[in-house]
Amino acid sequence: MNGDNFAVSERLVSASYVRQASQARRGHEQLIRLLLEQGKCPEEGWSESTIELFLNELAVMDSNNFLGNCGVGEREGRVASSLVARRHYRLIHGIGRSGDIAAIQPKAAGSSLLNKLTNSLVLDILKLSGVRSVASCFVVPMATGMSLTLCFLTLRQRRPKARYIIWPRIDQKSCFKAMITAGFEPVIIENVLEGDELRTDLEAVERKIEALGADSILCVHSTTSCFAPRVPDRLEELATICAKYNIPHIVNNAYGVQSSKCMHLIQQGARVGRIDAFVQSLDKNFMVPVGGAIIAGFDDSFVQEISKTYPGRASASPSLDLLITLLTLGASGYKKLLSDRKEMYKLLAKELKTLASAHGERLLDTPHNPISLAMSLNGLQDSGDQTVTQLGSMLFTRQVSGARVVTLGKEQTIGGHTFCGFMSHSDAYPCPYLNAAAAVGITHEDVSMCIKRLDKCLRTLQKEAQSRSPLTPPS
C-alpha cells in the first residue's frame, strides 16, 4: 500500500482509520529505510511482521515474481512446489552470477539487495564482536571446511610455486581435508604441553618455514576456537612470523565469533602482523541451519578476490537465514546472547569442577580456551578404554549431545596421514578426558541436566567396575 492507495481507501473506510493504518505502515517503512541507509544491524530486533513485509518487498523485485513476466531462458526462477516457494519467500534466483558470487543479477534485484545487505550487517556484527578493523566480508553457502578450501585456492593464484601449508595440529577432520582438497601438503606442527594446555610451538613453525623456504609455503593455517585441552593458537606471534617471512595467514575461526577472546586474538594479530582472511561458521555462531560460512579479511581487494574464485551462482538460503536472524535479534539481542554465553561458561566450569572432584577427577586447567572445557577420566581408564568410550555412549543415549569422550592412543588416517592420539590434538596426552562446551545459545537447564546425567553415568560405571573387581581378602 502506497500513499495513493491509502487515499483511495478513504472512500471505503473511515479516513481516520485509514490514516492510523498509514502511520503504522510508515513505522515499518522507517525501519526498512534506516536499514538501507545505514547498512548496519538495527540496535533493537524487528517484529516478524516487519521482517516478512521486507522480505515480500524484496521478492517482488525479482523477475520471477513480476506480473505478466514471460521467461524463455533456462533459469527463470520456476518452482514446482508452492511449499518450496513459500519456504524461500519466493526468492528463487539465488545470489551472484556465473562469474562472481558477489555480482548483481539483472533478473533479481531483490535477491541481490538481500545479499549486499546481509554482507553489510555481518561486517557490522564482526566489528561489534571485537574485530573492529575488519575491512570486508561475504557470506558463502558452504560450511567452514570448503570455505577454507576456497581461500587456499585463491592464494594459489598469488603463489603458484607453493606446495605446503603450515598447520599447528588440531584434531578436526574438515580443516585438514580442506588443505588436501585444495591440492596442498599439510605440514603438521605438533603442539607443546604447557600445564594441561596444548599450545602452539612457535619455534617449530619458524624452523619449518626456514627449512622449506618461504616461497614454497602457501600460508600458515591457524585456529582459534577448538576443543580443550587445546587452546587457540598464539595468533599474535604467528601473525608476526607471517609478516616477517611474507607468508599469507588464514585463520580457522569456526565458532570464534561468539568469543570476545578469539575475536581479540584476530584483531591483535592483524594489528601487529599479518592475517589475510579468517573464516567462521554461520550455524555455530548465529544459530541458523548448517550450510554457510563467513569469509572476512582486512584487505577488501583480497576478500573480493576470494569471492570471485567461487564458480557460479550460489544458494541464497544461508544469507536469507542469517538476515532474518540478525533482524530478529538486533545488535542488542546478539550482544546479550554473547554475554549470556560467558555466564554459562562460568557455570559449566564451576559445576564440572565440583562433579570432577566428587568422582576423584579434576577439571583440566585450560584458561586460554574460552568455550570448551575438559574433565579427566583417569578413574575410568583404570578399567580400560572400553569403559571410557562406554561413558560417551551412555551420555548420548541419555540425550546429552555434544559431549566428547577422548581415549588415549587412538589412531586415525586422513588423506594418507596417520594421527596418533587422534581427537586429543597430541600424540600422547597424559590422560583421557571428557569435553563439554558452553557455546552460544546454551541455557542453565542444559548445564544442570548435563551435570545430573553425567553424574549418574559415572556412578553407574564405577559400580560396575567395583562389581568386576575381586574381593580383597581380610588382613
Side-chain angles (χ1 to χ4, degrees):
M1 294 284 283
N2 56 27
D4 291 339
N5 287 337
F6 275 118
V8 173
S9 299
E10 292 181 7
R11 301 177 186 175
L12 305 172
V13 178
S14 170
S16 62
Y17 299 160
V18 172
R19 283 195 294 272
Q20 185 182 38
S22 177
Q23 289 170 0
R25 167 80 185 208
R26 280 198 295 271
H28 295 292
E29 292 175 343
Q30 175 74 358
L31 292 174
I32 294 171
R33 183 178 65 80
L34 288 174
L35 176 68
L36 295 172
E37 286 178 350
Q38 298 174 356
K40 294 183 177 182
C41 189
E43 184 61 26
E44 301 299 328
W46 289 6
S47 67
E48 286 190 9
S49 59
T50 303
I51 294 171
E52 290 193 324
L53 173 65
F54 180 47
L55 295 177
N56 286 325
E57 293 282 359
L58 291 178
V60 297
M61 295 172 67
D62 285 1
S63 63
N64 61 293
N65 299 311
F66 291 175
L67 296 177
N69 182 66
C70 175
V72 291
E74 81 290 351
R75 181 186 288 111
E76 295 297 335
R78 301 182 181 104
V79 177
S81 168
S82 60
L83 183 61
V84 171
R86 292 197 305 275
R87 174 182 175 241
H88 294 276
Y89 283 91
R90 295 176 290 115
L91 292 158
I92 310 302
H93 281 284
I95 57 175
R97 302 185 73 181
S98 58
D100 184 357
I101 194 176
I104 304 298
Q105 291 189 69
K107 289 193 290 189
S111 293
S112 299
L113 181 55
L114 179 149
N115 188 31
K116 294 290 185 183
L117 274 174
T118 303
N119 291 341
S120 182
L121 265 62
V122 169
L123 187 66
D124 184 45
I125 289 293
L126 292 179
K127 291 179 179 180
L128 178 150
S129 301
V131 186
R132 300 199 175 278
S133 62
V134 61
S136 183
C137 72
F138 68 98
V139 174
V140 60
M142 303 185 294
T144 308
M146 284 303 295
S147 298
L148 287 166
T149 296
L150 189 65
C151 294
F152 301 145
L153 291 172
T154 304
L155 285 175
R156 168 180 275 165
Q157 300 167 34
R158 293 189 171 193
R159 301 173 72 84
K161 296 180 181 179
R163 290 179 52 199
Y164 306 105
I165 295 178
I166 303 291
W167 182 64
R169 176 176 171 179
I170 174 170
D171 289 354
Q172 202 270 339
K173 293 180 183 178
S174 64
C175 56
F176 188 77
K177 292 171 72 175
M179 298 180 283
I180 295 172
T181 302
F184 295 96
E185 182 178 333
V187 177
I188 302 166
I189 306 296
E190 292 293 336
N191 300 300
V192 291
L193 186 64
E194 297 181 8
D196 288 332
E197 293 183 328
L198 290 165
R199 306 209 67 186
T200 316
D201 190 339
L202 296 169
E203 292 182 359
V205 169
E206 197 153 11
R207 284 197 304 268
K208 189 60 71 173
I209 290 173
E210 291 176 349
L212 295 173
D215 289 343
S216 69
I217 298 169
L218 182 82
C219 66
V220 170
H221 175 196
S222 64
T223 304
T224 55
S225 54
C226 54
F227 295 116
R230 196 193 191 280
V231 299
D233 280 319
R234 300 180 189 267
L235 249 60
E236 291 184 50
E237 293 88 339
L238 286 175
T240 301
I241 291 172
C242 288
K244 175 182 175 181
Y245 291 95
N246 194 28
I247 294 174
H249 185 187
I250 304 296
V251 180
N252 175 7
N253 189 43
Y255 47 100
V257 178
Q258 63 191 277
S259 164
S260 58
K261 184 174 288 187
C262 289
M263 298 299 272
H264 176 73
L265 287 173
I266 294 171
Q267 175 64 32
Q268 288 299 100
R271 185 182 65 82
V272 303
R274 177 171 181 174
I275 291 179
D276 294 74
F278 56 103
V279 179
Q280 36 274 308
S281 164
L282 292 188
D283 61 286
K284 293 173 183 174
N285 292 294
F286 299 99
M287 298 191 293
V288 296
V290 172
I294 300 163
I295 299 176
F298 302 91
D299 177 5
D300 179 64
S301 64
F302 180 60
V303 175
Q304 297 307 317
E305 195 176 331
I306 298 173
S307 75
K308 290 176 181 177
T309 303
Y310 186 98
R313 289 173 173 81
S315 169
S317 290
S319 295
L320 177 60
D321 291 340
L322 184 56
L323 179 63
I324 292 172
T325 300
L326 292 180
L327 291 178
T328 299
L329 291 172
S332 62
Y334 190 65
K335 285 186 283 189
K336 185 177 186 305
L337 281 176
L338 302 187
S339 175
D340 290 347
R341 188 206 69 77
K342 282 187 177 181
E343 293 304 311
M344 289 299 102
Y345 174 85
K346 294 176 185 176
L347 176 65
L348 180 61
K350 175 186 173 184
E351 295 293 332
L352 273 178
K353 186 175 183 177
T354 302
L355 178 68
S357 178
H359 289 275
E361 303 290 350
R362 66 188 185 90
L363 181 68
L364 301 184
D365 186 21
T366 56
H368 291 96
N369 193 316
I371 300 173
S372 178
L373 296 158
M375 185 185 91
S376 69
L377 296 175
N378 287 313
L380 296 186
Q381 184 65 39
D382 292 340
S383 300
D385 285 349
Q386 186 174 355
T387 305
V388 177
T389 56
Q390 187 180 352
L391 173 62
S393 300
M394 290 174 70
L395 288 171
F396 185 76
T397 57
R398 286 157 179 78
Q399 299 181 6
V400 178
S401 60
R404 299 166 75 248
V405 169
V406 179
T407 57
L408 299 176
K410 178 183 177 181
E411 289 193 353
Q412 177 78 47
T413 299
I414 308 171
H417 180 86
T418 299
F419 291 87
C420 297
F422 188 72
M423 289 178 70
S424 69
H425 322 287
S426 170
D427 283 349
Y429 193 75
C431 68
Y433 56 86
L434 169 83
N435 275 135
V440 68
I442 189 173
T443 65
H444 195 290
E445 185 180 16
D446 290 328
V447 173
S448 61
M449 290 177 67
C450 168
I451 296 298
K452 288 178 182 177
R453 292 172 186 178
L454 175 57
D455 180 42
K456 187 174 291 187
C457 290
L458 288 171
R459 292 181 187 280
T460 299
L461 290 173
Q462 288 165 354
K463 287 180 181 178
E464 290 178 357
Q466 290 171 359
S467 67
R468 290 195 296 268
S469 300
L471 293 175
T472 303
S475 56

